[in-house]
Amino acid sequence: MNTNTIMHGDMPGDKVEINDSHRTKAARILPVLLEKLEPIRAATPHGRAVVCVCGGSGVGKSEIASLLGQALQDGGLGCYVLSGDNYPHRIPAQNDAERLRVFRCGALKGLVGSGLYTEEVKNELLDLQRQDVDCDPAQTAGRPWLEVYQREGRKALAGYLGSDKEQDFAQLSDIISRFKNGAGSIYLKRMGRTPLDLWYDRVDFSDKKVLIIEWTHGNSDGFSGVDLPILLNSTPQETLEHRRSRNRDGGVDHPFTTMVLEIEQRLLESAAHKAAIIVAKNGDLLTYGQYRELMARG
């Protein structure tokens, strides 16, 4: 399969770098996916089904979604791969800033509520914020108040990440509903890296029977209509390494990035029970029980 012509997600500028590991996983997923798709499509008036490929970015969901989509297309099932990264409310730089704002506002509110906020603490914290290290666990040594600050900030951030405050789940639910109800074409959002990189393209779905959504939050309860969630298992460290290789926005080694990845990992784990197919890093297909055992071993 020529990786220059293979279909891929519709996020502007996104890269798909397919390797043998991705091909192995896709080859193991495909027969199970085809078997599960048949009764779902047969039960719908337009013979359409929605699949999501979710997981941390280090596990290759973009690449595997591309391979699965191309295999379905080549097998006669028209397919479209949609990138969920087009559907946050804010472009990446603005969303990163909002994440930090949510963290710091929640952290400060919690610190004040704890009774540990003083003029001395205020001045020291402002200095840590200017250095952009206020979320670094290494800075808590000798600063018990900073532990409270970071704990409360983390709780606030966990309430934002992957929620409808961050992601436009309603728009995705509407797209899925239109697709399943037989829409011949749908306007789909495109979001790039700057405020001007925002537009909609009209996409022809007249010959499409499967919609694949590749997205970290593809198995979320925030939106509806996904028939077959596929979870690609990963760890925050694997995700971090993949972000380093892409390095689209810089700062991948920052403690705040690590915090975000850890929270997203917990979101993935909390929704794993809904996955129709779970794939281990080595390509093995797992039951949910096997997945829980694997995660418990760390």
Side-chain angles (χ1 to χ4, degrees):
M1 191 180 293
N2 187 341
T3 57
N4 293 323
T5 59
I6 188 174
M7 68 168 57
H8 55 80
D10 52 14
M11 176 80 175
D14 218 9
K15 296 178 181 178
V16 175
E17 300 174 353
I18 294 172
N19 59 36
D20 288 342
S21 173
H22 301 136
R23 293 186 182 91
T24 297
K25 289 180 181 179
R28 292 180 181 176
I29 295 168
L30 184 61
V32 181
L33 176 60
L34 288 169
E35 181 181 353
K36 291 180 179 293
L37 277 174
E38 186 175 350
I40 292 171
R41 292 186 55 244
T44 60
H46 298 282
R48 290 177 167 183
V50 178
V51 176
C52 80
V53 178
C54 62
S57 61
V59 81
K61 63 184 180 297
S62 299
E63 290 80 3
I64 291 171
S66 297
L67 288 166
L68 293 175
Q70 191 66 54
L72 293 175
Q73 183 85 6
D74 293 344
L77 278 179
C79 186
Y80 184 84
V81 180
L82 181 152
S83 174
D85 286 342
N86 281 311
Y87 293 89
H89 293 297
R90 302 166 184 85
I91 63 168
Q94 292 173 345
N95 194 43
D96 287 345
E98 179 63 9
R99 288 173 171 183
L100 186 58
R101 186 198 70 80
V102 167
F103 168 81
R104 284 179 170 165
C105 286
L108 275 167
K109 184 177 180 180
L111 185 59
V112 170
S114 73
L116 295 175
Y117 192 73
T118 65
E119 283 298 309
E120 181 181 356
V121 165
K122 179 182 77 173
N123 292 328
E124 191 170 0
L125 179 56
L126 284 170
D127 186 53
L128 292 172
Q129 289 176 338
R130 291 187 191 100
Q131 298 176 61
D132 198 24
V133 294
D134 53 306
C135 62
D136 185 355
Q139 298 295 327
T140 61
R143 298 185 179 102
W145 58 266
L146 189 59
E147 294 182 19
V148 176
Y149 171 89
Q150 291 181 2
R151 182 183 70 239
E152 295 301 310
R154 187 184 186 105
K155 287 196 307 189
L157 183 61
Y160 175 75
L161 293 175
S163 75
D164 57 6
K165 301 171 189 175
E166 182 182 44
Q167 308 294 338
D168 194 349
F169 289 122
Q171 189 169 186
L172 276 169
S173 293
D174 181 64
I175 289 167
I176 291 171
S177 176
R178 289 173 183 272
F179 173 73
K180 286 188 169 182
N181 285 321
S185 63
I186 304 174
Y187 275 103
L188 297 183
K189 183 182 174 187
R190 306 289 185 247
M191 179 182 282
R193 317 299 299 177
T194 74
L196 294 178
D197 294 329
L198 179 62
W199 71 95
Y200 283 75
D201 282 337
R202 185 170 186 145
V203 177
D204 182 5
F205 279 96
S206 59
D207 65 343
K208 307 302 182 189
K209 295 300 182 182
V210 180
L211 173 64
I212 297 180
I213 300 173
E214 57 96 359
W215 195 26
T216 298
H217 305 295
N219 200 19
S220 170
D221 289 330
F223 70 118
S224 59
V226 173
D227 299 301
L228 290 172
I230 300 172
L231 172 62
L232 306 178
N233 194 27
S234 64
T235 66
Q237 183 58 36
E238 291 162 3
T239 301
L240 184 61
E241 289 171 359
H242 185 65
R243 286 172 67 97
R244 285 194 189 111
S245 72
R246 296 166 78 183
N247 198 24
R248 294 186 300 187
D249 298 304
V252 294
D253 291 312
H254 195 279
F256 190 73
T257 301
T258 301
M259 184 185 299
V260 167
L261 297 180
E262 289 172 350
I263 292 172
E264 288 183 342
Q265 178 70 21
R266 288 206 302 273
L267 289 174
L268 289 165
E269 290 179 28
S270 69
H273 65 282
K274 298 188 298 176
I277 302 172
I278 303 177
V279 189
K281 184 188 175 191
N282 64 4
D284 289 345
L285 301 187
L286 306 174
T287 65
Y288 178 66
Q290 291 170 329
Y291 164 82
R292 293 306 316 164
E293 291 178 8
L294 180 64
M295 300 306 289
R297 293 198 300 268

